[in-house]
Structure formats: C-alpha cells, structure tokens
C-alpha cells in the first residue's frame, strides 16, 4: 500500500518523479560520469595551458641563449666598428638564425638602426621595440609586435671590455610559431584525455553494475522508506530480533532482544560468544542452523527461539533470529496440565463410581443391604481422610488440588503417591503458578521414574513451609539418578524418555523441560536444589522467605548433590 500510494504523485511530477524513481545505482552513475567528464576536461585544459606555457618558456629561453651567444661572438665588436657592418654580419647572422630556429636575429647600433634582418629591405631601418634597458647594459625579454607580427624577443647589449655599449643583438620567435609548437601537442593531449575518460567511464559502469546488484535496483525513496519502516518495526515489535553474520557477530539487535537476553549496550559488532549468554543459547546463535520454536533458558526467562539462515547465491550470509518470551505461557501450561490431570482423575473416578454404583444397586435389589453399605463405603475412607488432612494443612487451594489430582493420576498408573503427615503449607511468597511448576514437575518425574522401577512403586511427597522458608521433598522408588548426571538433568532438553506424540496434529511435545523449569523458579527466589538417593532419587527444594537475608541466600543459591 505504501508503494502504490506514493506512485501517483511521482508520475504526475514528471522529471522530478523520474529522479525519484531512478535507482541509487543510476544516480551514482550519472554523478560519477559527470564528475569524470568534468575532471578529464579540466585536466586536458590544464595540460593545454601547461603546454602553451612550456612552449613560451622554451621560446624565451631559446631567444635569450641565441642573443647572448651571438652578442659575445669573437669579432662582434670589431664588426660593429667596421665601415660596412651589414655586409660583414648579414651572412653570419642569417646562418645562425637558420641553425638556431629563431624567426629573426637582428644586430643594430646603439641608435636602433638595423645592420641585419631576415628581410633585407628592412636593413637600415629603425628596430621596432624597446632598447632602453639594453642601452644601460641590461639584457631583457619582452613580447612586442614588430615587422613579423607579435613575437617573444630578447635584446642583449654588445659591450667592450670597459662596459661601453657598442651595439645590440635582438633574437625573437613569433607568437604564431609558439602556438603552433604547442598545438602539435594538442592531439596527444586530447587522445590521452579521451583514453582516460573511456577508462574512467568503463570503471564507473562496472562499479555501477555492482552497486545495482547490491541495492537491488532500488531508488533513494524506496531505500529511505524501507529504512524507516524497518526501524519502526524493530522498535515496535514485541519479539526480540537479532541479525547475526556468518562470523557469528551481532549486526543488529532490537530493544526487545536486548531486554530478553540482557545484552550489553555494545552488543552490536561483538561475537555471540562474548555476550555472556547461556551456552545453549550461544551455540544456537553462533551455529547458523535453522530452529523452529526451540525453547532456551536465558536467566529467569524461558524463550522460544526461531532462527532462519540467510543464503545468497549458495553462500551463507548469517541468520535472522527471533526470540519470544514464553515464561508465563510455560507456567500457565504447567498449571493447565495440573488441571487436566485432575480432570482426568475425576473422569476416571466418575467412571469407577458409576461401576460401583451399579454394584450397590444390584446388592440392594438382592436385598443384601449390609454388603451394599460395606461395599459403598470401603473406598471412601482413605480418600476422604486425605482430603480432610489436606484441607486442614494446606492453605493454597491450587496446591491442594494439584496434590489430590496427582494422587489420583498416580493411582491410575499403578503408583502409590504418599503425602507425608508433616506436609503443611501456609501462605508463602511464591506465586501459585510457580508452586505448581516446582511441585508438579517434581511429582511428574517421580511418577515416571517409579513406573519403570520394581514394585512396590511409590512416590513420597512432603511440602512444608515455616518461618525459614519452603521445603519440597519428592522421593521415588525408581532406579535413581547417577551423580554424574545430576548437573545435566537440569539442563534444557535432558531426558531419559523419548519424545511422544501429543495428539496435536502429530507434533511431538518437547521433553526435558520439567527440571529446567524447576531450576529457573528456584534460582529466581534464591533457593537450592538437593539431589540425593534412597531407594530411588530424592529431590529436595528449599526456597527461603524474601526477607533481609535474601542477598546472602541468593549468593549461595545453586544445586547440590549430597
């Protein structure tokens, strides 16, 4: 919708719209070609000016050298003082002019009257130009329009041994010849300029093609719009988003990712291994592999992680990772499982009660009332006694329902769940959902362990709270837990059971989360978990009350294996 809404004004805008739709690569190409043309033209112009300057400088140097040399030729003073200086000097001067390549070489007396000239008809006429400085014994150069047109000339005095000026020598090259000399270099300069222009434009086109591929042919409007939307989405989305390159460096992390993973401020640009993440989380982020709703622990949070590798032209570029906080959802799921277990137990008891009712009715119809009463009340004493005891000992209705439901559930699975007589729970500063997570998962694991053990199959549960804190102790008659496996048992994904189908469309339920969830709750409250062994495994959880000694308790919180 964004693209279509902006398209109409761009079409109406004519040339401005074309500029808006032109890709970044196209605009860069036009700019670069323009700059290259301007630079090449400027370079050629500078080279032409330099060539002209050089030609002029060389002409000046030549006329000065020729004039100086001829003015100091032996016999020059004698020739000037002779009765026929023109006849003596003219052939020598003309030969020297031809050899040196100057346009004129003139010898004159101090009054400026020519003794020599390329045009014999001008001999005896006054020299056209300035000679005052030369008469003072100073050689000089100037540009002056003489009989041959504008020329660069040098005028040098001819002096005797005592410094008396007895004549002057002028040598010059016309400006037209200087320009012609510079013009002969112009084709070479133009050819070099055109070659440089062709190379520069060719290189620019190649760079433009690469830029076009990298920008996908997008124009500045589209790129700006994409960036604005990209930035807005990253800040607004309620999921953590990370972009990780093929070197396992974090290129981008939005606000929610920083919060959920507790990333440092300078996380961007650092390797995943340097961010202090949980080992399993760091391994997933750094591996570049694909993941779908993989559950990971990060501090006190349980995260659902999706990772999608980024590949272009068959080469891995990294991965995009999204992180979603499922801590509350997992807690609610645990509570729901407890309710489902209780419902299943009630359903089974209802079915069993219906069977018993049929037996009672049949006994009544047979007029065997004593047997009917005895049969009807035989199974009620134990369950009623347990219910009455829990009603008096447990103030938390959710915990009481959980214990009753797990007792019925264990009975259905052939396991005797015993709740100790010292079980007593008063109001405690642990949320009911967290209490269900701890007690429910420990009991579930114990029931499954007892099922694979030898008869009699039993689980013993004790839940006690006092002024010091809460203690949950669950023991089973199963095979127990090897001490070397204790630490691994509390890691996410560790289990001794295979994944089972959950009936949700064929998707298997993740296993190995129960004890990880228990450890998460215990850590959050600064408690401890002890793992021991009697006839089977014994798990003991201790959570202190949140009072003034909490920091000290949190400092010692952890996992022990007595």
């Amino acid at each position: 919708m964004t693209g279509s809404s902006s398209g109409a004004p761009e079409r109406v805008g004519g040339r401005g719209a074309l500029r808006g739709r032109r890709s970044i690569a196209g605009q860069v190409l036009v700019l670069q070609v323009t700059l290259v043309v301007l630079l090449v033209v400027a370079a050629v112009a500078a080279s032409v000016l330099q060539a002209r300057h050089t030609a002029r400088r060389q002409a000046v140097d030549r006329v000065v050298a020729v004039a100086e040399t001829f003015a100091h030729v032996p016999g020059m003073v004698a020739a000037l003082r002779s009765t026929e200086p023109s006849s003596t000097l003219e052939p020598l001067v003309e030969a020297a002019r031809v050899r040196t390549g100057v346009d004129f070489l003139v010898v004159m007396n101090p009054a400026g009257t020519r003794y020599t000239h390329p045009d014999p008809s001008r001999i005896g006429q006054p020299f056209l130009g300035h000679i005052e400085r030369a008469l003072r014994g100073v050689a000089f150069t100037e540009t002056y329009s003489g009989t041959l047109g504008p020329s660069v000339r040098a005028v040098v005095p001819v002096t005797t041994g005592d410094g008396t000026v007895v004549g002057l020598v002028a040598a010059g090259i016309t400006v037209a010849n200087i320009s012609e000399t510079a013009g002969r270099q112009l084709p070479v300069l133009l050819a070099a300029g055109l070659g440089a222009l062709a190379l520069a434009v060719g290189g620019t086109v190649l760079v433009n093609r690469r830029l076009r591929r990298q920008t996908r042919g997008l124009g500045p409007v589209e790129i700006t719009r994409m960036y604005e939307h990209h930035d807005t989405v990253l800040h607004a989305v309620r999921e953590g988003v990370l972009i990780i390159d093929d070197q396992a460096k974090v290129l981008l992390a939005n606000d929610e990712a920083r919060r959920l993973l507790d990333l440092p401020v300078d996380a961007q640009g650092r390797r995943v291994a340097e961010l202090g993440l949980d080992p399993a989380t760091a391994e997933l982020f750094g591996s570049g592999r694909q993941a779908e709703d993989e559950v990971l622990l990060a501090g006190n949070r349980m995260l659902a992680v999706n990772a999608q590798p980024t590949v272009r032209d068959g080469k891995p570029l990294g991965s995009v990772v999204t992180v979603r906080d499922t801590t509350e959802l997992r807690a609610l799921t645990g509570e729901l499982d407890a309710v489902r277990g209780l419902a299943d137990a009630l359903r089974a008891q209802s079915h069993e009660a219906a069977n018993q009712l049929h037996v009672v009715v049949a006994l009544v119809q047979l007029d065997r009332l004593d047997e009917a009463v005895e049969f009807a009340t035989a199974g009620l004493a134990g369950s009623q006694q347990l219910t009455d005891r829990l009603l008096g000992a447990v103030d938390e209705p959710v915990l009481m329902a959980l214990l009753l439901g797990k007792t019925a559930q264990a009975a259905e699975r052939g396991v005797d769940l015993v709740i100790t007589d010292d079980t007593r729970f008063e109001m405690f500063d642990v949320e009911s959902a967290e209490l269900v997570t701890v007690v429910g998962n420990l009991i579930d694991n114990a029931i499954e362990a007892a099922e694979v053990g030898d008869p009699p199959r039993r689980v013993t549960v004790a839940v006690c709270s006092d002024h010091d804190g809460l203690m949950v102790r669950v023991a089973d008659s199963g095979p127990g837990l090897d001490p070397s496996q204790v630490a691994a048992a509390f890691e996410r994904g560790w289990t001794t059971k295979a994944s089972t189908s959950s009936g949700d469309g064929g998707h298997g339920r993740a296993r190995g989360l129960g004890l990880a969830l228990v450890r998460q709750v215990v850590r959050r409250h600064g408690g401890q978990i002890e793992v021991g062994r009697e006839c089977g495994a014994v798990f003991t959880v201790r959570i202190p009350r949140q009072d003034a000694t909490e920091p000290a308790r949190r400092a010692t919180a952890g996992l022990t294996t007595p």
Side-chain angles (χ1 to χ4, degrees), residues 29-42:
L29 176 62
V30 172
L31 178 61
Q32 287 183 330
V33 169
T34 302
L35 289 176
V36 167
V37 170
L38 292 177
L39 289 174
V40 170
V41 169

Side-chain angles (χ1 to χ4, degrees), residues 75-156:
M76 175 60 71
V77 173
L80 288 172
R81 287 179 173 179
S82 67
T83 57
E84 293 293 335
S86 293
S87 59
T88 303
L89 294 173
E90 177 65 20
L92 298 176
V93 170
E94 188 61 20
R97 183 189 68 81
V98 173
R99 287 197 306 270
T100 57
V102 296
D103 291 322
F104 66 86
L105 182 58
V106 175
V107 180
M108 69 194 85
N109 62 18
T113 302
R114 302 188 185 101
Y115 291 148
T116 65
H117 195 277
D119 184 1
S121 65
R122 298 184 183 276
I123 296 174
Q125 296 181 3
F127 177 74
L128 300 180
H130 301 94
I131 60 175
E132 292 81 5
R133 294 172 62 189
L135 292 175
R136 295 195 296 270
V138 179
F140 69 94
T141 61
E142 66 175 352
T143 301
Y144 194 86
S145 295
T147 57
L148 300 180
S151 62
V152 174
R153 58 182 62 183
V155 181
V156 178

Side-chain angles (χ1 to χ4, degrees), residues 74-241:
M76 175 60 71
V77 173
L80 288 172
R81 287 179 173 179
S82 67
T83 57
E84 293 293 335
S86 293
S87 59
T88 303
L89 294 173
E90 177 65 20
L92 298 176
V93 170
E94 188 61 20
R97 183 189 68 81
V98 173
R99 287 197 306 270
T100 57
V102 296
D103 291 322
F104 66 86
L105 182 58
V106 175
V107 180
M108 69 194 85
N109 62 18
T113 302
R114 302 188 185 101
Y115 291 148
T116 65
H117 195 277
D119 184 1
S121 65
R122 298 184 183 276
I123 296 174
Q125 296 181 3
F127 177 74
L128 300 180
H130 301 94
I131 60 175
E132 292 81 5
R133 294 172 62 189
L135 292 175
R136 295 195 296 270
V138 179
F140 69 94
T141 61
E142 66 175 352
T143 301
Y144 194 86
S145 295
T147 57
L148 300 180
S151 62
V152 174
R153 58 182 62 183
V155 181
V156 178
V158 179
T159 60
T160 61
D162 59 359
T164 302
V165 177
V166 296
L168 304 173
V169 176
I173 300 176
T174 62
V175 173
N177 284 340
I178 295 174
S179 299
E180 183 180 352
T181 301
R184 287 195 294 268
Q185 301 180 29
L186 186 58
V188 177
L189 295 176
L190 290 176
L194 291 176
L197 179 62
L199 289 176
V201 171
T204 300
V205 170
L206 293 178
V207 172
N208 172 263
R209 288 181 179 177
R210 178 178 178 85
L211 182 60
R212 186 182 298 276
R213 288 195 303 268
Q214 292 178 338
T215 59
R216 306 301 176 93
L218 296 176
V221 175
E222 289 83 357
I223 291 179
T224 301
R225 185 180 297 125
M226 287 178 61
Y227 171 77
E228 292 173 348
H229 292 174
H230 161 87
D231 190 61
T232 301
V233 169
L234 285 179
H235 285 84
V237 70
R238 298 309 300 165
E239 288 190 0
V241 179

Side-chain angles (χ1 to χ4, degrees), residues 356-380:
Q356 293 180 356
L357 181 60
H358 288 306
V359 173
V360 170
V361 170
L363 289 174
V364 170
Q365 290 176 343
L366 294 174
D367 199 25
R368 305 183 66 172
L369 300 181
D370 293 338
E371 289 85 345
V373 171
E374 182 180 357
F375 180 81
T377 59
L380 295 178

Side-chain angles (χ1 to χ4, degrees), residues 238 240 255-263 277-278 281 294-305 323-331 434 492 513 516-517 519-521 523-524:
R238 298 309 300 165
D255 298 340
E256 188 67 5
R258 294 176 183 275
R259 184 184 72 84
L260 294 177
L261 298 171
D262 195 22
L263 297 178
L277 299 174
D278 181 82
T281 305
E294 189 165 326
V295 180
L296 297 174
L297 293 175
N300 294 329
R301 297 184 180 92
M302 180 155 289
L303 308 177
V305 179
V323 182
R324 185 174 65 256
D325 191 354
T326 61
T327 305
E328 295 183 0
L329 178 61
R330 291 287 174 178
E434 294 177 321
R492 185 202 65 82
L513 290 176
L517 289 171
R519 184 180 65 171
Q520 178 181 335
V521 173
R523 278 182 173 178
R524 186 182 303 129

